[in-house]
């Protein structure tokens, strides 16, 4: 019996080997015009109806192909379909290599360039203009912080990532973990995700972050008011996408105040043709506060699935899920009725005290769903259909500390539930075509956005306490607040709105160096009012005027125009832009006239450079933003408002990224901002807005890593952020000053193909600094990390 089994095994092995020798294979590599490999390019074998995509090195392969003649089809955006004949011979591999004959920025929408040049200096993005144009061709200013820099700096949260953005300032952390930055004198939030709405009113983990794009200036023309949260611009979170290969990483980071963070990143193809790809990122973090009480505990999961359905159609599905539990950060609102100039540093407000117990917690749940369908209509036009839904739920206790005198405060606590749900549908048609000899790159889009909010909470006030000489046994507890809940002020209401918009943007090449951008958006906003659950009535909520304004509709036009001239082709360009932004305003004046949208216009000009094969990239610009139709108190009747207020914000920004020699990275930035109310209430007339941040801000980071030899990958980095004084309150009679700051960080790392070790020190000198909400910043913090790659 055993002999028969052995004989059968030998017979089967022979025929299997014989069958394999009767076939051949087709393989190749696809590269850019600069000889850099292109990932995720669709490659098909027409006769066999087989498809695959290139891997991270630009390679593709078809195995066990019967001998004969075949056509290999290569398909990507912005490229005429390539059909390459090939003969397959028995037992041989038939090579099919293809190199782009010219630069093709449009392919950035669906493929990735995986070259050897420094990724820290790469600035191309298909999201900033909703068009695949080069950095030097875009008249709008933007900054990019890539994951390579994030890893090098061991930036474990969005606030740490933003240290590399000129003018971002000290991040403001809201009570439920949401983060806000400064930009050109305005608050700016990370409300965009892969170029569309992705707001989250809770903690956002950066475990799935590919890069941050800080887009500067009014941007509602292409992104709408829901994404572009201020005239200063917006932050776009670009998330990690699946790639054609198997691999991943598991990382642990530990540090001061019981900081513990575990992250993972796993990727794999899930079908034999490698056209269906899955990537899963996740993280869990726990950290105690450096203060006497406080903690955060979070979990984040972010799966991403891509499917090349055929050579023309591709699908991308992303999910972000996160839960968190923690205590509110300190938010101090000083007493200002003493009408004096004071500094938070001199108030004797305790830097290390929260006044709240660890049982005063909030919990959040966040779910973002994102889907994108790309269809190549022709070599010139692509259809892009996008669906996005974002939900944030907040339960528990949200706190603030309100000053009641120069030496006392009263904790104010919001108790209950809040829900934010947003749905976004977007259809874009993206073209790259010629009219005569003139090249046009155009996007035509339709945008629908629905927003729904639900509030079921009550605000209670805890006992007043002397913060200079606080009794040792003073601590606000959950039992205390629950007892006071019946005396609080309830808020039980629902509200919703709908936005319908259409936009068009065109980059017109007058010559190969001179380009004009023209964009327009029409935006129709329907506010459905506020339904009060307690009274059963629907109104518009309290407008700024104090009047109950019912549901209303507003229509706004928003423009964006720019001019680019490449002084040195593909190296240096001069640019100018005129950008518009707007925000819908509810309410009426004393004569019953409805308010119109508030508008802001920016005029900016400057220069961009991309020199020495991407080794030196930078921007310098001057901007001037004027905001009109701002509400202010009616000077003839203080019970009403009028809409003739205005303010300006102007300044200079410099952003430089350099990789002069292999292993050396230099990041440097400077932001100067001059902001002022030019027509306003008398209390703030001709003064700098309180929340506009420092007038002068600097950022830098320098690192060097060995690139050859036994210790290749070993390196160190040093950087810092410097800001001048700013204001928490700034009126004619009262000022609360936030002192200037100088905060420095350093890191040592050893990055090898199979593992990465890191040591980071934040705020080396334990500089005392505060955000615009007067949240004390952590002193010196040590972090150590170990990552295993597979």
């Amino acid at each position: 019996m055993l002999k028969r089994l052995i004989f059968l095994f030998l017979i089967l092995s022979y025929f299997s080997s014989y069958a394999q020798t009767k076939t051949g294979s087709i393989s190749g590599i696809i590269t850019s015009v600069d000889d850099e490999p292109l990932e995720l390019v669709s490659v098909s074998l027409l006769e066999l109806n087989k498809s695959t995509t290139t891997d991270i090195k630009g390679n593709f392969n078809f195995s066990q192909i019967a001998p004969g003649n075949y056509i290999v089809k290569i398909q990507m955006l912005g490229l005429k379909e390539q059909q390459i004949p090939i003969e397959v011979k028995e037992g041989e591999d038939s090579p099919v290599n293809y190199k782009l004959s010219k630069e093709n920025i449009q392919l950035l929408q669906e493929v990735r360039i995986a070259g050897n040049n420094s990724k820290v200096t790469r600035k191309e993005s298909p999201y900033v203009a909703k068009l695949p144009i080069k950095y030097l061709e875009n008249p709008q200013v933007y900054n990019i912080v890539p994951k390579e820099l994030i890893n090098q700096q061991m930036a474990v949260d969005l606030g740490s990532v933003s240290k590399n953005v000129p003018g971002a300032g000290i991040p403001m952390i809201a009570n439920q973990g949401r983060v806000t930055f400064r930009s050109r004198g305005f608050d700016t939030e990370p409300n965009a995700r892969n170029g569309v709405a992705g707001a989250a009113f809770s903690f956002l983990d950066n475990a799935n972050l590919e890069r941050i794009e800080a887009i500067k200036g009014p941007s509602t023309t292409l992104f709408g008011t829901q994404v572009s949260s201020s005239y200063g611009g917006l932050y776009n979170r670009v998330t990690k996408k699946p790639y054609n290969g198997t691999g991943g990483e598991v990382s642990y980071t530990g540090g001061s105040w019981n900081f513990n963070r575990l992250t993972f990143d796993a990727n794999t193809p899930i079908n034999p043709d490698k056209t269906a790809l899955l990537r899963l990122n996740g993280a869990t973090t726990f950290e105690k506060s450096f203060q006497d009480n406080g903690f955060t505990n979070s979990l984040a999961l972010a799966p991403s699935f891509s499917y090349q359905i055929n050579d023309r159609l591709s699908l991308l599905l992303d999910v972000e899920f996160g839960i968190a539990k923690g205590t509110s950060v300190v938010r101090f609102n000083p007493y200002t009725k003493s009408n004096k100039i004071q500094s938070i540093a001199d108030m004797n407000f305790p830097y290390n005290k929260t006044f709240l117990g660890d049982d005063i917690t909030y919990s959040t749940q966040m779910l973002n769903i994102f889907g994108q369908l790309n269809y190549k209509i022709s070599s010139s036009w692509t259809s892009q259909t996008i669906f996005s839904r974002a939900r944030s739920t907040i339960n528990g206790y949200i706190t603030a500390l309100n000053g009641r005198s120069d030496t006392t405060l009263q904790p104010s606590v919001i108790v209950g539930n809040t829900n934010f749900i947003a749905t976004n549908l977007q259809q874009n048609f993206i073209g790259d075509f010629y009219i005569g000899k003139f090249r046009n790159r155009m996007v035509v889009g339709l945008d629908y956005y629905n927003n729904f909010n639900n509030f079921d909470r009550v605000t209670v006030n805890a006992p007043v306490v002397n913060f200079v000489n606080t009794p040792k046994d003073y601590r606000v507890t959950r039992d205390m607040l629950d007892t006071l809940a019946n005396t609080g002020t309830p808020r039980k209401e629902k509200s919703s709105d709908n936005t319908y918009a259409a936009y068009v943007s065109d980059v017109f090449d007058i010559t190969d160096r001179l380009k004009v951008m023209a964009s327009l958006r029409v935006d129709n906003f329907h506010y459905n009012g506020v339904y009060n659950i307690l009274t059963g009535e629907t109104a518009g909520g309290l407008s700024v005027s104090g009047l109950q304004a019912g549901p209303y509709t507003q229509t706004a036009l928003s423009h964006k125009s720019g001019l680019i001239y490449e002084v040195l082709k593909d190296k240096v360009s001069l640019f100018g832009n005129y950008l518009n932004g707007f925000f819908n305003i509810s309410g009426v004046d004393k004569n019953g006239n409805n308010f119109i949208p508030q508008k802001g216009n920016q005029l900016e000009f400057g220069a961009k450079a991309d020199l020495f094969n991407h080794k030196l990239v930078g921007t310098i610009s001057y901007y001037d933003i004027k905001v009109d139709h701002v509400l202010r108190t009616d000077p003839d009747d203080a019970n009403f408002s009028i809409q003739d207020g205005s303010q300006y914000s102007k300044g200079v920004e410099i952003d430089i990224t350099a990789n002069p020699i292999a292993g050396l990275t230099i990041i440097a930035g400077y932001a100067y901002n001059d902001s002022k109310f030019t027509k306003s209430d008398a209390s703030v007339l001709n003064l700098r807005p309180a929340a506009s941040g420092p007038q002068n801000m600097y950022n830098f980071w320098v690192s060097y890593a060995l690139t050859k030899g036994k210790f290749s990958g070993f390196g160190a980095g040093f950087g810092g952020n410097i800001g001048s004084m700013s204001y928490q309150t700034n009126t004619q009679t009262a000022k609360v000053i936030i002192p200037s700051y100088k905060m420095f960080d350093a890191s040592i790392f050893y990055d090898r193909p199979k593992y990465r070790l890191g040591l980071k020190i934040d705020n080396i000198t334990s500089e005392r600094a505060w955000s615009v909400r007067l949240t004390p910043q952590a002193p010196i913090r040590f972090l150590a990390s170990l990552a295993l790659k597979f």
Side-chain angles (χ1 to χ4, degrees):
M1 181 66 180
L2 180 60
K3 292 181 179 180
R4 291 180 179 179
L5 289 175
I6 293 174
F7 177 74
L8 181 61
F9 174 76
L10 292 174
I11 292 295
L12 292 173
S13 298
Y14 169 78
F15 280 109
S16 175
S17 175
Y18 179 78
Q20 289 179 9
T21 61
K22 289 293 185 180
T23 64
S25 62
I26 300 173
S27 63
I29 182 172
I30 299 178
T31 57
S32 70
V33 68
D34 298 321
D35 292 317
E36 295 181 334
L38 300 178
E39 183 192 0
L40 297 181
V41 176
S42 175
V43 184
S44 304
L45 204 55
L46 292 183
E47 289 77 6
L48 300 180
N49 196 27
K50 296 185 69 173
S51 297
T52 188
T53 57
T54 55
D55 63 17
I56 197 169
K57 295 182 179 180
N59 296 313
F60 69 91
N61 176 266
F62 295 103
S63 60
Q64 297 187 16
I65 305 300
N69 295 314
Y70 297 91
I71 299 293
V72 175
K73 184 169 72 171
I74 300 172
Q75 186 101 326
M76 67 183 78
L77 296 179
L79 176 73
K80 185 178 180 180
E81 180 182 290
Q82 301 297 308
Q83 295 193 7
I84 303 173
I86 188 70
E87 181 182 1
V88 175
K89 297 181 179 180
E90 179 182 320
E92 296 183 11
D93 179 66
S94 302
V96 179
N97 299 321
Y98 181 76
K99 177 180 177 180
L100 269 66
S101 59
K102 61 180 181 179
E103 191 170 36
N104 180 12
I105 298 300
Q106 188 168 355
L107 60 83
L108 284 175
Q109 292 186 86
E110 64 174 10
V111 306
R112 288 189 285 267
I113 299 174
N116 296 319
N117 289 330
S118 174
K119 295 180 181 180
V120 175
T121 59
R122 288 197 175 277
K123 301 294 184 181
E124 269 64 41
S125 168
Y127 303 109
V128 176
K130 288 189 180 291
L131 281 171
I133 60 176
K134 294 187 297 182
Y135 170 72
L136 292 177
E137 295 177 318
N138 196 329
Q140 189 166 9
V141 173
Y142 61 94
N143 317 115
I144 289 182
V145 185
K147 67 178 180 182
E148 290 77 17
L149 187 60
I150 294 171
N151 288 337
Q152 189 182 102
Q153 296 180 348
M154 293 173 59
V156 295
D157 52 57
L158 287 177
S160 300
V161 174
S162 71
K163 291 180 180 181
N164 301 284
V165 177
I170 295 176
M172 186 202 79
I173 308 298
N175 291 331
Q176 64 274 35
R178 188 178 67 179
V179 63
T180 301
F181 314 104
R182 308 300 101 190
S183 183
R184 301 190 169 183
F186 301 92
D187 290 348
T188 307
E189 299 180 8
N191 285 339
R193 182 181 185 276
N194 297 327
V196 297
F201 294 88
S202 59
F203 171 74
L204 279 170
D205 201 289
N206 63 353
N208 69 328
L209 192 64
E210 181 75 22
R211 65 181 182 269
I212 277 286
E213 297 176 346
I215 304 171
K216 301 300 183 72
S219 301
T220 55
T221 305
L222 294 179
F223 295 99
T225 58
Q226 297 80 16
V227 176
S228 181
S229 58
S230 83
Y231 300 114
L234 65 97
Y235 276 68
N236 180 40
R237 296 179 296 115
V238 180
T239 58
K240 296 176 182 177
K241 309 296 190 302
Y243 57 90
N244 188 346
T246 300
E249 178 179 300
V250 176
S251 173
Y252 171 76
T253 304
S256 305
W257 310 300
N258 200 18
F259 183 90
N260 288 274
R261 177 174 171 82
L262 181 68
T263 67
F264 64 88
D265 180 358
N267 186 92
T268 183
I270 57 177
N271 67 342
D273 293 333
K274 298 183 179 180
T275 55
L277 311 172
L278 179 65
R279 188 170 187 175
L280 178 62
N281 284 273
T284 181
T285 305
F286 177 83
E287 181 182 19
K288 291 285 290 182
S289 170
F290 73 92
Q291 296 172 305
D292 58 350
N293 288 292
F295 73 94
T296 56
N297 191 1
S298 64
L299 172 69
L301 296 173
S304 180
F305 170 76
S306 70
Y307 182 34
Q308 188 73 38
I309 301 171
N310 55 47
D311 55 5
R312 288 181 176 269
L313 183 64
S314 66
L315 171 68
L316 175 67
L317 294 174
D318 283 345
V319 174
E320 286 181 321
F321 174 77
I323 56 175
K325 182 178 181 180
T327 55
S328 297
V329 299
V330 169
R331 177 186 178 183
F332 181 44
N333 301 307
Y335 183 76
T336 58
K337 293 183 179 180
S338 298
N339 293 333
K340 62 182 181 181
I341 300 175
Q342 52 187 334
S343 169
I344 179 62
D346 301 325
M347 289 183 186
N348 294 318
F349 182 81
Y351 198 82
N352 297 313
K353 194 172 183 61
T354 66
F355 297 93
L356 305 166
D358 276 351
D359 58 343
I360 310 298
T361 60
Y362 66 82
S363 62
T364 64
Q365 185 182 95
M366 179 269 295
L367 179 66
N368 284 347
I369 301 173
F370 175 90
Q372 179 173 316
L373 199 64
N374 288 331
Y375 179 71
K376 182 176 180 180
I377 301 171
S378 67
S379 60
S380 299
W381 285 94
T382 302
S383 169
Q384 183 187 75
T385 306
I386 298 173
F387 167 80
S388 177
R389 186 169 176 86
R391 176 179 63 82
S392 296
T393 299
I394 306 164
N395 288 294
Y397 302 79
I398 301 173
T399 65
L401 305 176
N402 298 321
R404 293 293 179 248
S405 73
D406 290 341
T407 58
T408 62
L409 62 81
Q410 184 175 35
S412 177
V413 183
I414 298 173
V415 185
N417 171 272
T418 307
N419 286 281
F420 302 94
I421 302 174
T423 303
N424 189 203
L425 295 174
Q426 203 171 100
Q427 174 61 52
N428 295 313
F429 294 98
I430 302 168
D432 188 344
F433 58 92
Y434 283 81
I435 299 176
K437 65 178 182 178
F438 301 105
R439 185 185 183 188
N440 290 261
R441 279 159 290 178
M442 178 181 290
V443 58
V444 180
L446 299 173
D447 195 2
Y448 167 73
Y449 187 89
N450 170 264
N451 180 61
F452 174 82
N453 304 320
N454 179 72
F455 300 89
D456 184 4
R457 60 197 200 186
V458 61
T459 301
V460 299
N461 293 314
V464 175
V465 64
N466 187 310
F467 62 77
V468 178
N469 297 301
T470 307
K472 293 183 179 180
D473 59 348
Y474 180 89
R475 185 169 66 95
V476 177
T477 65
R478 176 177 292 195
D479 289 341
M480 179 191 300
L481 295 174
D482 291 344
T483 302
L484 295 170
N486 290 333
T487 66
T489 303
R491 183 183 182 186
K492 298 179 184 292
E493 61 189 33
K494 300 177 182 180
S495 64
S496 66
D497 56 73
N498 295 285
T499 301
Y500 308 87
Y503 50 85
V504 60
S505 181
D506 183 35
V507 176
F508 182 81
D509 291 11
I510 300 174
T511 70
D512 65 338
R513 295 191 180 193
L514 181 62
K515 301 168 174 50
V516 177
M517 172 184 280
S519 313
L520 183 66
R521 180 189 189 93
V522 57
D523 190 281
N524 186 246
F525 177 76
H526 293 258
Y527 185 59
N528 301 319
V530 177
Y531 174 71
N532 190 312
I533 298 174
L534 296 176
T535 64
E537 297 178 351
T538 298
L542 281 176
S543 70
V544 181
S545 67
L547 289 178
Q548 290 285 342
Y552 66 94
T553 299
Q554 287 182 342
T555 299
L557 293 175
S558 180
H559 60 81
K560 174 182 179 180
S561 56
L563 185 68
I564 281 278
Y565 179 68
E566 295 186 51
V567 180
L568 297 175
K569 179 65 176 173
D570 297 326
K571 290 180 173 61
V572 177
S573 63
L574 302 177
F575 69 90
N577 65 59
Y578 185 54
L579 311 181
N580 171 264
F582 67 92
F583 292 98
N584 299 104
I585 302 294
S586 66
V588 296
D589 62 18
K590 66 179 180 180
N591 297 317
N593 298 313
N594 291 318
F595 294 133
I596 62 176
Q598 183 187 96
K599 290 197 173 185
N601 293 295
Q602 171 185 278
L603 179 63
E604 181 176 22
F605 55 86
K608 293 184 178 183
D610 189 345
L611 302 170
F612 312 117
N613 193 24
H614 309 300
K615 287 182 170 59
L616 177 62
V617 181
T619 303
I620 180 171
S621 68
Y622 169 82
Y623 63 88
D624 190 329
I625 302 173
K626 184 179 180 182
V627 182
D628 292 311
H629 308 315
V630 178
L631 293 183
R632 67 186 184 100
T633 303
D634 190 331
D636 298 324
D637 191 336
N639 295 315
F640 294 90
S641 292
I642 56 176
Q643 200 176 14
D644 66 348
S646 61
Q647 70 177 91
Y648 73 70
S649 176
K650 54 188 177 182
V652 174
E653 286 186 348
I654 301 174
D655 179 32
I656 297 173
T657 304
N659 183 210
I661 60 174
L664 178 61
T665 299
I666 302 172
I667 310 288
Y670 170 67
Y672 167 79
N673 175 260
D674 177 23
S675 294
K676 185 180 292 186
F677 289 111
T678 52
K679 191 170 186 179
S680 65
D681 294 342
S683 61
V684 295
L685 184 62
N686 295 323
L687 295 180
R688 183 177 179 83
S692 55
Q695 190 171 59
N696 292 279
M697 284 183 272
Y698 307 82
N699 66 279
F700 72 93
W701 177 262
V702 180
S703 67
Y704 179 73
L706 299 174
T707 59
K708 298 179 180 179
K710 185 177 180 180
F711 294 101
S712 173
F714 180 79
F718 178 77
N721 294 82
I722 300 171
S724 58
M725 59 81 66
S726 57
Y727 296 100
Q728 187 270 347
T729 299
N730 188 24
T731 70
Q732 302 289 356
T733 57
K735 301 180 188 298
V736 176
I737 296 172
I738 303 173
S740 61
Y741 59 88
K742 297 177 181 178
M743 305 176 75
F744 302 101
D745 307 328
S747 71
I748 300 175
F749 51 88
Y750 189 33
D751 197 348
R752 300 293 293 171
K754 293 296 183 181
Y755 62 89
R756 183 177 65 249
L757 299 171
L759 176 65
K760 176 75 178 295
I761 306 176
D762 289 318
N763 195 5
I764 296 173
T765 62
S766 288
E767 177 85 347
R768 289 199 167 194
W770 293 262
S771 72
V772 294
R773 282 191 170 184
L774 300 185
T775 303
Q777 303 301 292
I780 186 170
R781 178 174 75 167
F782 297 89
L783 295 174
S785 71
L786 167 64
L788 301 177
K789 308 174 187 179
F790 56 90

